[in-house]
Amino acid sequence: MPIYEYKCNNCGEDFSLIQSITRLSSDLKCPNCNSADIKKTISAFSCLFSGSSAKKTSDLSYSPSS
Ligand SMILES: [Zn+2]
């Protein structure tokens, strides 16, 4: 099961979560402040997620659709 690293945009907390394929991104919250305003910081893709071409990462990609 893959483990993803996240960073909270609200309080700056870094944390890791085990994310199953059935778990929706909307369920993810910061364990420190319970904010849903988080982003993936998994190292191999950090440069891609910071840009506008996240979809290039295929199954690991997550594009906020808010
Ligand atoms: Zn937080």
Side-chain angles (χ1 to χ4, degrees):
M1 199 175 291
I3 299 176
Y4 297 106
E5 294 185 9
Y6 295 86
K7 184 177 182 67
C8 177
N9 290 324
N10 187 49
C11 71
E13 178 81 358
D14 292 304
F15 56 98
S16 300
L17 292 175
I18 299 173
Q19 185 175 14
S20 71
I21 195 168
T22 57
R23 188 171 185 177
L24 298 178
S25 297
S26 57
D27 292 333
L28 301 176
K29 292 181 180 178
C30 173
N32 186 49
C33 69
N34 210 38
S35 172
D37 185 14
I38 60 176
K39 66 179 179 180
K40 282 182 181 176
T41 60
I42 187 168
S43 57
F45 299 103
S46 60
C47 60
L48 292 176
F49 278 104
S50 64
S52 59
S53 56
K55 287 184 178 181
K56 288 183 178 179
T57 57
S58 68
D59 61 311
L60 286 177
S61 70
Y62 163 59
S63 299
S65 58
S66 57

